[in-house]
Amino acid sequence: MSAYSDNMEQAISHIKQQTILMQRSLTQKKLMDALKHCSDMLKELRNPDLSPKLYYELYIIIFDSLSILSQYLVENHPTRHHLADLYELVQYTGNILPRLYLMLTVGVSFMQTKDCPAEEVLKDMIEMCRGVQHPIRGLFLRYYLSQRTKQSLTSDISLDKKFDIQFIITNFIEMNKLWVRLQHQGPLRERDLRTKERKELQILIGSNLVRLSQILDDSFALYRDEVLPQILEQVIQCRDVVSQTYLLDVICQVFPDEFHLGTLSQLLDTTLKLNPDVVINKVVLSLIARLNGFWDRQDDPNAIIQNLNHLKLDSNTDEEEHSADDGESTAEKLDSEPVSRNKFDLFFVFWKYLTKITEERPDLPLHEIIPLVHSIMLLSLKWYPSNLSNVDILYKFCWEKYQDFGKDIPEECEQSFKELFIYPLSTDNFYEIITTCDSFQKLLSVQSITLQKSIINSILDKMVETNTKITDKQHLDKLGAICEPIISVPNNKPKTSILTVSDDLDSELTFFNPEQEKLAKLVHLIYHKNVDINTELLLICKKWYYNGGKQLRFTYPALITAFWKLIRKLHFKSLKRPERKEDYNAKIKQLFKYVSRCNTDLFNVCGLSISDLIFKLNLQTAAIADQLTLSEISYDFFSQAFTIFEESLSDSKVQFQALVNMAQVLQKTRSLYNDEGYYDTLITRCTLHGSKLLKKTDQCRAVYLCSHLWWATELTLIGEEEGVTKNFFREGKRVLECLQRSLRVADSIMDNVQSCQLMVEILGSCCYYFIHGDESETHVGVKYIAGLVELIQANLKGLQLEESGEVQDFTAPSQTIVIGCDGSYICKTLSSSTCMVSSKIPNVRIPDLIAVPVSYFERTLEYIENQKQVDYRFNAITT
Amino acid sequence: MLLLALSDAHIPERAIDVPLKFRKLLNVPNKIQQVTLLGNCTKSASFLKFVNTISENIVFVRGEFDPATVSTTKNPAEEMPLSTVISQGPFRIGCCNGYTLVPKNDPLSLLTLARQLDVDILLWGGTHNVEAYTLEGKFFINPGSCTGAFSTDWVQEDVEENYKTSEQQEPAEASTNGSNQQPKEIKEEIKEPSNNDSEKSGEDKADIIEDKGNSEEHLQEGKEYEHDSSDDEFDDIDINGGGIPSFCLLDIQDITCTLYIYTYVDNEIKVDKVVYRKD
């Protein structure tokens, strides 16, 4: 008999050839010849140089060939031969490997017949398999046994279930041993290759467990008492990393969820006894993933919790002892938690495990513990979503661990910690978790600033996204503590110089700050239907934000808005219940004080850089107070605005815009016309400031706009109507005075274009008043307008003379320019649809510049002409 | 071409964000050619990012709460103008927040400004109240606040009235009270200048397509009046001064400008259409 072939091609063709010969012998009923051919092809499996992959290929072909033989054997028993005899006969085959394959083939065929002492044959076969101790050969041989017996073990002539199971377990144990031994074959430097090959073979071992699971069906007691202990013992004893990792994973995967629930502590205890190199959290994670999947698949998950108690009671008494052993240490830890622990609480099982593992394995690195905690948290949030003390315990545990490890936290932990914080945010009760779990904040606060900020940002995003209202003081305080790192800015810049101008400028330029934006949005989530409580919440928030230093300018405006809203709410209430008006008014006044306090804080902390903002906040607050007829308060805020205007607004452009804005707000007030003469004081001062602005063009515009302060107009929003409402505040004489003064300034301006432009603007104002009332009221009459028109015409003539004196550059393209409401030149860009806006005189042709007031004047005249058709009084104006 | 007008977002100091449905609706890159921000829109990085995805061609004017300068791709500290002009086809479109306009929101003042800027269409903001009308052949559009932000203006009379009347009415009637409301002004009707004398002065070219049954019932909806509790819930829209989230989209084709007014009422978007033609 020849030995095995040198290469795969030869081996395969040899096997195929022998298979054909075997088949031929079988059709000729020459069984002995057939057996000879079989034994011949089986020799190929003796090749020790084949890699597992190639070996498997050969195995598959041979398996098929032997199936043909097996079928023949069964069909012809006992007519042509007796399988018991054959079983004896094949034992005389020369080589051990072919001999055993043939034995197994015959033996299994024999078992399919009725008169077979199946148990004995099985026992004999498995005993014989010990004869092959070469890992790969042995593994495949036993795999062959397991594959062949699969059918007979599940068929109806089946034996005792217990025996079957024992048979499979025995085979499994032996296979695992061989598998582990494979690791130690060959030279040391090929270890990695070995490990790779082993992983290719793992399915052979795993298939046994799959078979077990199929046979067991739903007999839990058998699993718990017979199967699992034996398997786990083998897992522990083999002390092999690859094997332990793989097998525990397979156990988690193949057996039913209910089984796992009943044997949790056994499984978990096993993980404590593993080779230290095994990554425990992988095992636990797959177990928990399994349990969570189970939860998801249930129609009524809550029923499981009920059943769980039942299951646990069924479970072995061994566990009772366990909990008695460990009970003390864990109970001690849990004592501090105000939760009564159900011993059949799934979380409790894992928690117990967690404490145990950290006691028994103090060497376990942090980056392995954290994922473990993370997976337990997944479990808790899935099974006991409302029991947040579980989560808190876990965070606390991490925090303690963190303390133990001291400062040297490896970087790889960062990601695990991050997941630990981020995961709860995806659950429905994330808000409860972050606000009620004290340890969440505690643990977060010891993380690196970058991580903290990233978590805080996620929290704030989530809050805004889900529109989670903050209604509780404790919650707000907790959030404040969590957000502390982005609220407080380390303000440790030593002030060596009194000149902080550059510093202010910097902060002015960086006006975007996404984090502060989120903090500001948080204010809008604070809500309580009770105004007093809501106020209190806002004050707490204010207190937190006060630590922000210059960041106040991002957050305080939002707070002020929140106070405004409360004020308006109280106003509605007092409308609804006039009998309680006084009570509400007292509260409103208090709220205005808070607004004022915010403004003061802003001013003190942020200083000049945002005085324009504070000015406007004061104005708007004054307007709100006025709308509630709180003239005192309104006056106070207006005077605050004046103070800021006088002391802190220095840029001339800012001054002009601020002053005109103030005129706009003042013009809409209604409550200030009292005996104290508040309105008069304020508008006179406003106009005075207008007339004292730096640039004459600004003076001119400010003053003609201030003329409106003596001419109240209808507020349609509150139902006033021109001609119906009688008591508008109007003093035509003063209006005219303003216009005259404005005109004088315009006339004195050196720049002819601006001067003419301003005069046309004043003409526009005159038309406004002319439309608004009779000359007897407005004092702006036909004569005045006609005079103004004449003056403008004369000035424009002068302007055009200037044009003719200029050397013309006709090559430059003509451009349309207009002057905006603040005197800036709005000049169309050639390339796009937009305009360049600049306060400087643009570099264009002089005629284009002169055309600005000319065409504006023409448009105004055209307007006056048009008005003649609807208002006869206009006819008196000759143009 | 399509021009989007947004105003008074006031994020984050007064509002959290533009309603999600608005954001989804506007999430159509390369459809809208130009966006105008009519003031109080520059405090939020996320909002500006959102606007940038709509179109990179952004025109902005300063509102009272905007910083004096804004950082753009061209200039890290570009000055924000008070008013500016856009040319689109035959139309000149003026943009202004109007916070330096005295008297505020006055049609005649706006008309004077439109004349000064020599524009056919004037976009303005600052009132948090959407409206559109023609006057003297010019088209005036205020897109309102795109977030429905709190307004410090006078609260609309009907809102206040509502709270007053509920005092006198039986609780049962109070809850149905809202439906009797005057429709809040999405002023489809052509508003004349307030002065009696110039009442017929407008030569109105606008073809108005009204969406009837558009009156809003959001006030006092399902609200039960409880005599003994002082902690009633109040509608946020009322507290904010009556303004609802809104924005405008201008479709300019030749001499026709079609204005679409989008409002957000009771979690639904409503669209109104107004057509304006240049003579």
Side-chain angles (χ1 to χ4, degrees):
Chain A
M1 274 194 194
S2 58
Y4 46 83
S5 313
D6 293 335
N7 57 43
M8 272 299 279
E9 286 81 24
Q10 281 178 19
I12 290 174
S13 70
H14 182 223
I15 293 172
K16 285 193 171 152
Q17 187 195 353
Q18 292 302 319
T19 306
I20 292 166
L21 291 174
M22 175 196 80
Q23 272 176 305
R24 193 177 299 155
S25 308
L26 285 178
T27 39
Q28 295 164 359
K29 310 285 181 200
K30 290 179 181 165
L31 182 59
M32 292 317 286
D33 288 348
L35 288 176
K36 199 181 123 281
H37 293 306
C38 277
S39 138
D40 202 27
M41 75 171 97
L42 280 166
K43 267 185 259 162
E44 294 298 341
L45 288 179
R46 293 177 59 216
N47 190 341
D49 300 326
L50 287 176
S51 75
K53 227 180 184 166
L54 297 178
Y55 197 90
Y56 185 70
E57 261 181 60
L58 294 186
Y59 169 83
I60 290 292
I61 305 173
I62 286 179
F63 182 86
D64 289 342
S65 303
L66 291 180
S67 298
I68 301 169
L69 176 67
S70 173
Q71 198 188 348
Y72 173 88
L73 291 177
V74 177
E75 277 167 9
N76 293 291
H77 169 88
T79 47
R80 292 194 156 269
H81 51 248
H82 197 280
L83 279 167
D85 299 337
L86 276 181
Y87 190 69
E88 293 293 326
L89 182 76
V90 289
Q91 310 219 3
Y92 294 99
T93 315
N95 259 308
I96 179 158
L97 199 68
R99 183 197 310 151
L100 285 175
Y101 271 99
L102 284 175
M103 254 185 74
L104 296 184
T105 314
V106 176
V108 172
S109 306
F110 188 27
M111 279 168 61
Q112 287 170 34
T113 61
K114 291 210 166 99
D115 49 351
C116 172
E119 263 187 46
E120 269 163 54
V121 175
L122 272 176
K123 268 186 195 160
D124 187 56
M125 287 194 296
I126 203 155
E127 199 58 38
M128 289 304 219
C129 282
R130 284 181 189 277
V132 180
Q133 285 298 328
H134 181 275
I136 292 186
R137 275 180 246 161
L139 266 176
F140 276 96
L141 180 67
R142 285 183 178 275
Y143 183 57
Y144 182 74
L145 174 64
S146 126
Q147 269 194 311
R148 283 287 174 212
T149 50
K150 190 190 277 182
Q151 214 182 1
S152 54
L153 287 185
T154 40
S155 64
D156 45 16
I157 52 158
S158 169
L159 314 145
D160 177 30
K161 204 175 201 176
K162 248 181 170 168
F163 179 82
D164 289 354
I165 288 168
Q166 201 49 54
F167 174 76
I168 295 171
I169 292 177
T170 314
N171 202 25
F172 159 75
I173 291 174
E174 291 304 323
M175 279 175 92
N176 189 43
K177 281 180 184 164
L178 289 168
W179 191 42
V180 172
R181 200 180 313 136
L182 181 58
Q183 186 73 53
H184 309 292
Q185 293 268 308
L188 204 60
R189 60 190 149 81
E190 284 179 9
R191 279 206 84 135
D192 288 345
L193 181 70
R194 287 286 103 73
T195 309
K196 192 172 152 271
E197 286 178 354
R198 283 188 63 199
K199 285 193 174 151
E200 286 168 3
L201 289 173
Q202 63 187 18
I203 186 74
L204 304 187
I205 295 89
S207 66
N208 285 305
L209 297 180
V210 178
R211 294 273 299 116
L212 274 177
S213 148
Q214 284 163 350
I215 292 179
L216 275 171
D217 202 16
D218 57 353
S219 22
F220 172 64
L222 205 56
Y223 170 76
R224 185 191 62 210
D225 303 331
E226 301 282 336
V227 180
L228 192 65
Q230 288 193 63
I231 299 176
L232 290 182
E233 201 194 337
Q234 173 58 26
V235 169
I236 294 165
Q237 276 180 358
C238 76
R239 307 194 52 76
D240 177 80
V241 180
V242 179
S243 170
Q244 289 181 334
T245 313
Y246 173 70
L247 290 178
L248 282 175
D249 189 51
V250 172
I251 293 171
C252 291
Q253 301 304 331
V254 300
F255 293 106
D257 306 294
E258 289 88 343
F259 285 18
H260 293 316
L261 281 174
T263 56
L264 255 188
S265 40
Q266 277 161 277
L267 268 176
L268 290 175
D269 282 346
T270 307
T271 64
L272 294 173
K273 296 168 190 156
L274 298 180
N275 184 317
D277 290 336
V278 176
V279 184
I280 293 178
N281 61 53
K282 266 190 195 158
V283 178
V284 178
L285 193 65
S286 72
L287 185 60
I288 284 178
R290 193 69 213 269
L291 293 178
N292 280 348
F294 174 62
W295 176 272
D296 285 339
R297 283 188 293 275
Q298 298 306 310
D299 298 328
D300 178 18
N302 290 317
I304 305 298
I305 298 209
Q306 302 301 320
N307 286 339
L308 202 57
N309 296 350
H310 181 64
L311 253 178
K312 285 283 184 166
L313 284 168
D314 274 355
S315 121
N316 54 0
T317 47
D318 181 49
E319 204 205 320
E320 304 268 348
E321 288 165 36
H322 261 296
S323 54
D325 287 346
D326 314 316
E328 275 176 49
S329 57
T330 44
E332 237 173 274
K333 284 201 168 103
L334 289 170
D335 265 350
S336 52
E337 310 302 331
V339 229
S340 64
R341 286 284 151 182
N342 185 336
K343 147 169 188 338
F344 308 113
D345 181 331
L346 209 52
F347 172 76
F348 183 72
V349 176
F350 277 99
W351 168 247
K352 213 174 72 181
Y353 167 68
L354 189 64
T355 43
K356 202 166 164 189
I357 197 169
T358 44
E359 270 165 35
E360 291 187 7
R361 293 277 305 275
D363 60 308
L364 216 56
L366 200 57
H367 64 87
E368 279 192 32
I369 294 181
I370 301 304
L372 207 58
V373 176
H374 179 64
S375 52
I376 296 175
M377 189 178 293
L378 292 182
L379 177 100
S380 175
L381 286 171
K382 177 76 82 180
W383 288 70
Y384 311 99
S386 55
N387 195 348
L388 298 179
S389 57
N390 287 351
V391 180
D392 194 37
I393 292 170
L394 291 174
Y395 281 123
K396 191 170 170 217
F397 171 83
C398 288
W399 186 72
E400 281 162 3
K401 278 283 140 211
Y402 195 96
Q403 301 294 50
D404 291 349
F405 276 82
K407 285 283 168 198
D408 320 336
I409 300 302
E411 259 181 48
E412 61 258 38
C413 280
E414 191 114 302
Q415 191 55 34
S416 337
F417 270 118
K418 187 170 177 180
E419 277 162 19
L420 199 61
F421 291 116
I422 291 290
Y423 176 72
L425 294 185
S426 61
T427 60
D428 290 337
N429 38 15
F430 79 97
Y431 178 67
E432 283 73 24
I433 293 174
I434 56 178
T435 50
T436 55
C437 297
D438 293 333
S439 304
F440 180 89
Q441 186 260 325
K442 239 170 62 192
L443 182 62
L444 184 60
S445 67
V446 291
Q447 305 298 321
S448 75
I449 285 292
T450 347
L451 179 63
Q452 282 194 54
K453 285 192 172 178
S454 131
I455 304 290
I456 293 166
N457 275 303
S458 306
I459 291 176
L460 292 178
D461 283 344
K462 181 76 183 175
M463 296 273 303
V464 168
E465 187 191 308
T466 54
N467 199 17
T468 310
K469 298 287 182 201
I470 306 164
T471 55
D472 185 283
K473 278 181 261 178
Q474 273 83 37
H475 293 178
L476 185 59
D477 259 329
K478 183 69 43 191
L479 277 171
I482 289 172
C483 296
E484 169 97 57
I486 66 166
I487 294 175
S488 319
V489 174
N491 220 348
N492 47 13
K493 224 182 259 175
K495 283 197 175 168
T496 47
S497 162
I498 307 164
L499 292 168
T500 53
V501 181
S502 62
D503 181 38
D504 281 347
L505 200 66
D506 283 347
S507 50
E508 181 74 85
L509 285 174
T510 58
F511 43 79
F512 285 136
N513 191 325
E515 280 170 5
Q516 297 300 319
E517 185 184 326
K518 283 170 193 165
L519 277 181
K521 285 179 180 176
L522 196 66
V523 174
H524 302 305
L525 296 175
I526 296 174
Y527 178 79
H528 196 282
K529 62 178 184 170
N530 182 301
V531 174
D532 295 334
I533 297 173
N534 201 343
T535 310
E536 209 174 327
L537 288 170
L538 288 175
L539 289 174
I540 291 171
C541 193
K542 178 175 174 293
K543 189 190 79 201
W544 277 108
Y545 287 177
Y546 186 73
N547 300 328
K550 291 205 167 172
Q551 313 282 18
L552 285 192
R553 67 219 182 90
F554 297 107
T555 49
Y556 265 37
L559 271 174
I560 290 173
T561 307
F563 284 125
W564 285 343
K565 284 187 179 179
L566 283 185
I567 288 169
R568 195 168 277 167
K569 188 170 166 184
L570 284 168
H571 172 59
F572 287 159
K573 283 187 174 202
S574 68
L575 287 177
K576 215 166 162 180
R577 289 196 203 77
E579 74 277 6
R580 298 189 58 184
K581 192 170 174 144
E582 276 189 24
D583 180 31
Y584 291 137
N585 265 359
K587 283 180 187 170
I588 287 176
K589 279 177 189 158
Q590 192 55 46
L591 284 168
F592 275 114
K593 283 181 187 163
Y594 296 140
V595 175
S596 173
R597 164 58 53 198
C598 288
N599 278 332
T600 319
D601 284 348
L602 270 174
F603 189 77
N604 289 342
V605 176
C606 303
L608 296 178
S609 61
I610 55 154
S611 44
D612 187 44
L613 171 68
I614 305 168
F615 172 81
K616 273 146 188 174
L617 288 172
N618 272 314
L619 276 189
Q620 306 280 332
T621 317
I624 291 173
D626 170 69
Q627 288 152 18
L628 309 186
T629 65
L630 298 167
S631 54
E632 298 274 343
I633 295 172
S634 180
Y635 180 81
D636 214 52
F637 279 99
F638 273 121
S639 63
Q640 278 298 318
F642 269 119
T643 314
I644 290 164
F645 180 85
E646 285 155 13
E647 292 173 4
S648 314
L649 295 182
S650 48
D651 182 82
S652 69
K653 226 176 275 174
V654 172
Q655 276 184 349
F656 168 75
Q657 294 180 10
L659 190 92
V660 177
N661 187 219
M662 179 181 258
Q664 184 192 61
V665 175
L666 274 172
Q667 204 262 349
K668 294 213 142 194
T669 58
R670 286 294 180 268
S671 73
L672 298 165
Y673 321 122
N674 53 7
D675 297 338
E676 259 92 351
Y678 283 159
Y679 188 70
D680 205 46
T681 315
L682 292 171
I683 63 173
T684 315
R685 201 177 179 88
C686 183
T687 315
L688 192 69
H689 277 302
S691 68
K692 283 183 179 169
L693 288 169
L694 180 69
K695 288 204 246 161
K696 278 191 175 170
T697 49
D698 289 344
Q699 282 178 19
C700 177
R701 286 197 174 88
V703 172
Y704 82 67
L705 286 172
C706 280
S707 70
H708 289 279
L709 294 174
W710 281 276
W711 195 263
T713 45
E714 60 170 13
L715 294 171
T716 43
L717 284 177
I718 57 168
E720 288 178 347
E721 211 174 307
E722 191 75 36
V724 177
T725 312
K726 288 288 173 228
N727 53 347
F728 284 123
F729 175 88
R730 282 174 179 182
E731 273 188 60
K733 217 172 137 222
R734 303 296 298 273
V735 171
L736 186 62
E737 276 173 29
C738 285
L739 293 177
Q740 282 168 335
R741 190 189 171 103
S742 175
L743 188 59
R744 272 202 302 279
V745 180
D747 199 32
S748 70
I749 289 173
M750 288 298 114
D751 180 344
N752 249 333
V753 173
Q754 280 284 2
S755 170
C756 288
Q757 168 76 18
L758 282 167
M759 285 182 189
V760 185
E761 285 178 25
I762 294 166
L763 178 62
S765 264
C766 291
C767 290
Y768 179 93
Y769 289 111
F770 191 74
I771 289 170
H772 255 265
D774 195 67
E775 188 177 343
S776 60
E777 289 171 49
T778 61
H779 295 252
V780 180
V782 177
K783 235 172 105 188
Y784 188 75
I785 294 179
L788 185 55
V789 169
E790 249 172 64
L791 178 67
I792 296 170
Q793 278 165 339
N795 278 345
L796 285 177
K797 227 171 242 170
L799 195 62
Q800 272 147 351
L801 274 179
E802 191 183 327
E803 177 189 357
S804 58
E806 282 288 328
V807 182
Q808 302 281 317
D809 176 12
F810 289 106
T811 53
S814 161
Q815 273 177 289
T816 316
I817 305 166
V818 291
I819 289 179
C821 56
D822 58 344
S824 54
Y825 296 89
I826 301 174
C827 184
K828 194 183 169 315
T829 51
L830 293 168
S831 53
S832 76
S833 61
T834 54
C835 288
M836 287 282 297
V837 183
S838 162
S839 54
K840 292 190 197 78
I841 300 171
N843 185 18
V844 292
R845 300 193 320 160
I846 299 296
D848 289 343
L849 219 47
I850 288 169
V852 177
V854 173
S855 64
Y856 182 28
F857 184 54
E858 280 165 8
R859 289 196 296 275
T860 311
L861 290 184
E862 192 191 333
Y863 172 68
I864 292 173
E865 279 304 311
N866 285 339
Q867 288 301 303
K868 285 179 181 173
Q869 294 167 14
V870 285
D871 187 352
Y872 69 95
R873 297 185 306 140
F874 271 94
N875 285 320
I877 304 170
T878 49
T879 51
Chain B
M1 63 86 70
L2 290 174
L3 186 146
L4 176 68
L6 298 173
S7 183
D8 299 280
H10 279 293
I11 304 172
E13 76 272 18
R14 294 194 197 177
I16 289 180
D17 212 337
V18 179
L20 185 66
K21 286 194 175 172
F22 274 1
R23 270 181 287 155
K24 280 186 181 157
L25 187 75
L26 289 172
N27 191 16
V28 279
N30 306 324
K31 272 271 165 63
I32 292 167
Q33 280 76 29
Q34 197 160 36
V35 184
T36 59
L37 300 180
L38 300 166
N40 299 324
C41 288
T42 55
K43 287 281 181 74
S44 162
S46 59
F47 176 75
L48 288 182
K49 209 169 154 194
F50 161 68
V51 173
N52 241 319
T53 59
I54 300 171
S55 168
E56 284 173 9
N57 189 359
I58 301 169
V59 174
F60 47 82
V61 286
R62 190 180 181 204
E64 65 263 57
F65 287 104
D66 284 319
T69 59
V70 70
S71 130
T72 63
T73 44
K74 288 175 207 147
N75 187 346
E78 190 164 320
E79 204 167 300
M80 294 189 75
L82 276 188
S83 50
T84 190
V85 176
I86 304 167
S87 306
Q88 280 301 347
F91 292 101
R92 276 174 63 82
I93 304 166
C95 304
C96 179
N97 178 262
Y99 82 95
T100 57
L101 218 61
V102 193
K104 186 179 187 179
N105 205 25
D106 181 302
L108 275 185
S109 306
L110 289 164
L111 182 63
T112 312
L113 178 65
R115 201 162 58 229
Q116 185 175 344
L117 298 178
D118 193 18
V119 294
D120 313 292
I121 300 173
L122 184 70
L123 299 170
W124 90 103
T127 64
H128 301 207
N129 205 356
V130 60
E131 55 184 315
Y133 55 85
T134 54
L135 178 61
E136 297 282 330
K138 295 181 194 302
F139 197 20
F140 294 85
I141 302 162
N142 183 336
S145 161
C146 60
T147 56
F150 181 87
S151 164
T152 54
D153 269 350
W154 288 84
V155 176
Q156 288 170 14
E157 192 194 20
D158 48 3
V159 174
E160 291 205 354
E161 276 308 314
N162 204 329
Y163 289 109
K164 277 183 200 160
T165 50
S166 65
E167 176 64 20
Q168 275 96 45
Q169 287 182 358
E170 290 302 312
E173 281 173 80
S175 53
T176 58
N177 204 14
S179 52
N180 302 330
Q181 292 282 317
Q182 232 5 67
K184 197 159 302 149
E185 311 292 297
I186 298 171
K187 292 175 181 164
E188 303 99 332
E189 80 271 22
I190 303 153
K191 217 167 79 178
E192 293 289 344
S194 50
N195 195 284
N196 295 335
D197 298 331
S198 60
E199 212 156 41
K200 289 165 196 78
S201 64
E203 305 163 340
D204 305 303
K205 295 281 190 296
D207 298 330
I208 310 297
I209 295 139
E210 259 188 78
D211 186 2
K212 288 285 179 196
N214 195 23
S215 61
E216 292 135 45
E217 298 94 351
H218 61 268
L219 302 171
Q220 288 275 317
E221 218 176 25
K223 220 169 273 171
E224 301 250 343
Y225 180 68
E226 298 158 277
H227 274 284
D228 39 11
S229 159
S230 65
D231 296 339
D232 328 295
E233 306 278 347
F234 287 85
D235 195 316
D236 249 0
I237 295 170
D238 292 353
I239 300 277
N240 286 342
I244 46 172
S246 59
F247 67 86
C248 288
L249 193 62
L250 286 76
D251 185 6
I252 295 169
Q253 307 286 350
D254 292 330
I255 57 156
T256 310
C257 168
T258 314
L259 173 74
Y260 298 93
I261 301 169
Y262 291 83
T263 48
Y264 185 74
V265 185
D266 294 331
N267 296 318
E268 291 298 331
I269 297 176
K270 279 189 177 150
V271 190
D272 293 277
K273 191 170 131 189
V274 180
V275 179
Y276 166 76
R277 281 192 193 88
K278 194 177 170 166
D279 19 13

